[in-house]
Amino acid sequence: MITFLPAVPGRLADVPAFTRAIGGAESNVACVLAAAGHRAAWVSRVGADGFGDHLVAAVAAYGVDTSAVARDPGRPTGVYFRTATDRAASGHEVAYYRAGSAASAMSPDTVPYALVSRTRVLHLSGITAALSADCLALLRHLMLPRAGRPLISFDVNHRPKLWRDADAGPVLLGLARGADLVFVGEDEAETAWGITGPDAIRAALPEPGTLVVKQGAAGAVAYVRDPGRATDSVVFVPAPTVDVVAPVGAGDAFAAGYLSAALRDLPTRDRLRHGHLTAAAALTVPGDLGTPPDRDRADRLAAIDDDSWERLRLGPGWTSAVDEEVRTP
């Protein structure tokens, strides 16, 4: 969808101008993965309008394959406006204009399984499930157990304003149980499911082979099922200190960083560290998408000792700075 970023802080009623950008959970992940050197494709539906033209061109400019993005002549490209505050803050506002959008018309008929099955990882989001009954049916169809199914990565991405006419909790929990890898924020698990704490979230979601619980500025913990052990391998990695410019897009960037490291078979600790680094790239720019650090640099930072990692501080421009310019408190 098209994202409109506020020119100044304040209520939506008071913001005089907005800057056009692109946004969307799955497209954000695809863009970051492509920028990190992976082959990524985005499958979606946009309107046959100027916003759709811009969106497809902007995503493709990251190196993402957009050949399977359909154009809908009868429905518009979705848009949304937001304030500059943290999504979790009481004053945060977001105005979605996605009802009847081209993306909301996706279904098992418009996105056949064969179109997305020829890949190592299929990344899905709870946001898409909220757009319409047909979109929810599509996600359930793609997540059906079947021979040769790619690894299903699912980001819960609970957005209450998109679920006005439905109870999001049971739907999102059911989808998460059908995935192989799940990303969920500790705060959204409490909101959607009334569950508090990573261990309780894992108890409610025993099915995925890997569960990653994001704990905001504190860090993230991964529960990884080991067939050779009776219990999960549990790995916690604290987040580096970040000088935040805009607290939007970090969750999608984290998922992309984790997936990038997973695609390279890096250990769990490094997957979490790469997730934190790509999240920091998003947090230090105004829009939803930040340019990730190049792979060699990200690998060097992910490999530093624990003490140096915990002293790491990342600010605006850090992805293009030399290592010596990354500040430590």
Side-chain angles (χ1 to χ4, degrees):
M1 59 186 169
I2 296 294
T3 303
F4 285 97
L5 308 177
V8 296
R11 302 182 311 150
L12 285 178
D14 301 327
V15 176
F18 295 81
T19 300
R20 184 189 65 180
I22 63 171
E26 297 91 342
S27 59
N28 286 345
V29 171
C31 288
V32 175
L33 282 170
H38 298 278
R39 289 189 299 166
W42 176 51
V43 180
S44 189
R45 196 172 184 88
V46 301
D49 50 32
F51 283 155
D53 294 342
H54 172 69
L55 189 57
V56 174
V59 172
Y62 279 85
V64 177
D65 180 352
T66 59
S67 60
V69 178
R71 308 302 293 265
D72 191 323
R75 297 178 178 85
T77 302
V79 302
Y80 91 110
F81 297 77
R82 66 169 173 83
T83 54
T85 52
D86 190 329
R87 183 179 283 118
S90 58
H92 181 73
E93 296 176 78
V94 58
Y96 289 105
Y97 297 93
R98 306 189 73 177
S101 68
S104 71
M106 290 189 297
S107 72
D109 293 330
T110 65
V111 185
Y113 179 75
L115 189 64
V116 297
S117 62
R118 299 183 298 274
T119 184
R120 290 178 63 188
V121 176
L122 175 59
H123 182 72
L124 305 169
S125 165
I127 293 177
T128 299
L131 297 183
S132 68
D134 282 343
C135 283
L136 175 57
L138 170 62
L139 260 65
R140 287 173 170 162
H141 173 67
L142 296 177
M143 297 172 80
L144 287 173
R146 63 188 92 198
R149 188 184 81 167
L151 184 143
I152 300 292
S153 168
F154 179 68
D155 193 334
V156 172
N157 263 329
H158 180 225
R159 298 292 181 267
K161 287 193 175 183
L162 291 175
W163 292 90
R164 291 176 179 173
D165 301 322
D167 186 356
V171 174
L172 292 172
L173 190 62
L175 291 170
R177 284 175 170 161
D180 302 301
L181 165 61
V182 172
F183 299 95
V184 63
E186 189 173 24
D187 55 347
E188 63 184 347
E190 184 171 5
T191 301
W193 304 325
I195 301 172
T196 303
D199 288 347
I201 297 171
R202 181 52 162 170
L205 272 174
E207 295 88 353
T210 301
L211 170 68
V212 178
V213 180
K214 298 171 291 182
Q215 298 178 286
V221 57
Y223 295 80
V224 182
R225 182 181 304 125
D226 184 345
R229 298 178 56 183
T231 58
D232 286 333
S233 170
V234 182
V235 179
F236 171 78
V237 172
T241 300
V242 179
D243 297 330
V244 177
V245 172
V248 179
D252 301 329
F254 182 96
Y258 186 98
L259 288 170
S260 174
L263 286 166
R264 295 192 289 135
D265 295 320
L266 299 183
T268 301
R269 186 207 70 166
D270 289 8
R271 298 180 190 190
L272 291 170
R273 285 189 173 187
H274 276 273
H276 286 314
L277 291 169
T278 50
L283 288 168
T284 50
V285 297
D288 289 17
L289 278 165
T291 302
D294 67 73
R295 182 175 292 186
D296 288 343
R297 184 149 187 263
D299 283 344
R300 290 198 303 272
L301 287 174
I304 61 178
D305 62 81
D306 290 345
D307 184 61
S308 297
W309 176 263
E310 292 181 11
R311 290 187 289 110
L312 193 61
R313 182 164 189 161
L314 305 170
W318 76 270
T319 58
S320 58
V322 297
D323 285 342
E324 289 74 18
E325 293 176 316
V326 174
R327 294 180 291 137
T328 55

